[in-house]
Amino acid sequence: MTRYTELAERYGTPLYVYDLDRVAAARQDLFDALPEPFSLFSAVKANPHPEVLRALGAGDGRVCRAEISSLGELGAALEAGFDPAEILYTGPGKTDGELVDAIGAGVRLFSVESLTDLEHVGAAAGVQGVVADCLLRINSASASATTSIRMTGTPSQFGIDTETLGEVLPKMRAVPGTRVAGAHFFPLSNAKDEDSLVGEFRHTLSVAADLEREHGVPLRFLDIGGGFAAPYAVPGERPVYEKLCERLETTLDELFPDWRRGTPHLACESGRYLVGDSGVLLTRVINIKESRGRTFVILDAGINTFGGMSGLGRLLPVAVQPEGPEQAAEIEDGTGLSASLVGPLCTPGDVLGRQVELPNLRVGDILTIPNAGAYGPTASLLMFLGRPAPAEVLVRGGEVVSASRLEHSRVPLTPLAPSAPLEGPAPVGGGRA
């Protein structure tokens, strides 16, 4: 019986197992790949489990800061011990209520997507008598790499179009309660290789330098985004970016001669790279059936457990990690199964993978889906059909640190008390959301 099988028998399936030692290793690898002055933001959305976040924010020397886009993520980050003054609050739909609450909790750094978004931050800050530092998220008119999920160069709810920035910047710098502190870029996710990643970062830094020179964009703080790759729900190893640090330093020396002295303060951000290979998903075979020449392996884990992000092209198809040489040989030489992996939900969309190569299976067997530490339960259709959430077990040094499960509950609400609107633009999203 393997260690994973023992945990599945003890805590049941579906079961996520997160190895905190691998979280620490990924954090260290990424810091090693970045020049020394860089800050690193962990995208809380990738895995908001407080123990995982605590592992990212702990350690000697350089530690991650938290990047969030909701009060729920703020709560997880605070529970994990992150300093609210070091948190970056992002997102295109920040409501007046959440801004007031976030600033009240001590958040002072925001990424803003438009003039009106900045005005909402300023109004919330003004109510509490503080000034919020704001990074202008930039939607560049062009891009370098063409891989994976593009988040720039197209019409978007994200970012300020570079071609309009010159006109709107004077208004943005005059918004009470705010200070334009710099710029925020996030052009792509999951670059296909190191050359693509470096090319995108070079392009981003070049655009930032142009904006500073041509429009006077203040650049005390410059977040150049992410794009760090990692295998996802398939066997494989995280890449180690051996030349990224040197190549970034060369570009920065050319474009920002004072960067080594902290002008601008530089940052990157990452989600799946930091947590993806820390997790595996264990799921049990419930049934195996044939239908018109196709085989279906029905699992107790479906898109309510894993796979809710498949619509973004992030998951399908998954692959199974063989448990030993015999299973590996069955997959390799084709003597195993080729089947669709489907979940238990009453919808034909509950598919984790089609024509997946599998070992020979029996009902009751445990399958291991590797590299599943990012975008798991909270990025899935967790409440669909009311099935229980998967268990989540965290280990360090081979020992269980914690075991828990998210629970769904409905709580009664009372009507919100009428309140005067914040000074500034009209409230968005119905006020305190």
Side-chain angles (χ1 to χ4, degrees):
M1 181 180 289
T2 68
R3 175 62 170 156
Y4 287 148
T5 305
E6 291 177 4
L7 291 173
E9 294 301 326
R10 189 188 310 177
Y11 296 104
T13 56
L15 171 66
Y16 281 92
V17 182
Y18 307 122
D19 187 333
L20 298 178
D21 292 328
R22 296 188 72 87
V23 174
R27 178 194 63 197
Q28 188 60 52
D29 283 348
L30 198 46
F31 270 126
D32 288 345
L34 295 171
E36 179 67 32
F38 265 76
S39 290
L40 178 60
F41 287 101
S42 169
V44 171
K45 62 178 177 287
N47 190 326
H49 195 295
E51 291 288 349
V52 172
L53 296 177
R54 193 170 289 118
L56 288 167
D60 299 327
R62 301 165 73 184
V63 295
C64 291
R65 299 165 67 173
E67 180 265 310
I68 64 171
S69 58
S70 72
L71 292 180
E73 289 186 344
L74 174 59
L78 296 178
E79 182 181 349
F82 285 88
D83 180 354
E86 296 289 303
I87 290 173
L88 173 62
Y89 203 118
T90 69
K94 311 175 197 72
T95 67
D96 291 336
E98 69 185 273
L99 286 170
V100 168
D101 289 348
I103 291 170
V107 178
R108 294 294 182 269
L109 183 62
F110 294 84
S111 172
V112 296
E113 316 279 355
S114 64
L115 172 60
T116 50
D117 191 21
L118 180 66
E119 289 172 338
H120 283 285
V121 174
V127 166
Q128 301 185 56
V130 301
V131 175
D133 282 325
C134 294
L135 307 181
L136 307 183
R137 180 160 177 174
I138 303 299
N139 182 9
S140 175
S142 59
S144 173
T146 58
T147 58
S148 191
I149 301 172
R150 292 236 50 90
M151 299 185 70
T152 194
T154 62
S156 175
Q157 72 268 44
F158 297 109
I160 302 158
D161 298 341
T162 49
E163 59 269 30
T164 67
L165 187 58
E167 177 184 350
V168 75
L169 182 60
K171 300 175 184 178
M172 301 186 88
R173 299 187 70 168
V175 173
T178 69
R179 178 171 46 237
V180 176
H184 176 203
F185 293 77
F186 200 96
L188 86 165
S189 176
N190 204 33
K192 68 175 182 178
D193 52 37
E194 186 166 357
D195 286 342
S196 297
L197 181 65
V198 170
E200 196 65 57
F201 281 154
R202 283 177 171 169
H203 180 265
T204 291
L205 289 166
S206 178
V207 171
D210 288 345
L211 294 178
E212 182 182 43
R213 182 180 62 255
E214 294 174 8
H215 300 300
V217 175
L219 286 185
R220 290 191 296 109
F221 196 112
L222 177 57
D223 182 344
I224 63 174
F228 306 102
Y232 206 73
V234 296
E237 299 295 324
R238 265 190 305 104
V240 175
Y241 296 109
E242 297 179 349
K243 298 180 180 180
L244 176 61
C245 183
E246 178 184 352
R247 295 166 80 179
L248 269 177
E249 287 177 343
T250 299
T251 301
L252 287 165
D253 285 339
E254 175 188 346
L255 296 173
F256 296 99
D258 292 329
W259 73 274
R260 296 178 190 269
R261 293 184 289 274
T263 305
H265 181 90
L266 294 155
C268 283
E269 56 196 82
S270 177
R272 78 170 74 186
Y273 187 93
L274 290 171
V275 298
D277 79 341
S278 72
V280 299
L281 171 61
L282 307 179
T283 176
R284 192 179 300 273
V285 177
I286 302 301
N287 198 5
I288 302 172
K289 65 166 288 187
E290 300 289 330
S291 177
R292 293 175 176 158
R294 291 178 57 191
T295 302
F296 293 83
V297 174
I298 302 167
L299 308 172
D300 60 2
I303 56 175
N304 60 315
T305 302
F306 189 66
M309 299 289 277
S310 60
L312 299 180
R314 294 196 178 196
L315 291 180
L316 294 176
V318 303
V320 169
Q321 180 74 53
E323 291 298 327
E326 183 177 335
Q327 285 195 353
E330 290 175 351
I331 294 175
E332 183 69 25
D333 62 22
T335 59
L337 293 175
S338 180
S340 292
L341 288 178
V342 301
L345 304 183
C346 295
T347 169
D350 191 13
V351 179
L352 295 182
R354 296 181 176 86
Q355 301 306 112
V356 179
E357 298 303 317
L358 302 165
N360 289 302
L361 297 172
R362 295 174 297 179
V363 171
D365 283 350
I366 302 294
L367 296 185
T368 301
I369 298 174
N371 291 312
Y375 302 108
T378 56
S380 300
L381 304 181
L382 197 58
M383 294 186 67
F384 187 49
L385 294 183
R387 298 185 70 87
E392 295 175 279
V393 169
L394 292 100
V395 298
R396 178 183 284 115
E399 299 298 322
V400 173
V401 174
S402 71
S404 61
R405 184 196 312 276
L406 290 167
E407 293 288 351
H408 315 314
S409 63
R410 189 178 298 276
V411 296
L413 294 179
T414 55
L416 295 175
S419 59
L422 298 174
E423 293 184 5
V428 296
R432 297 183 67 86

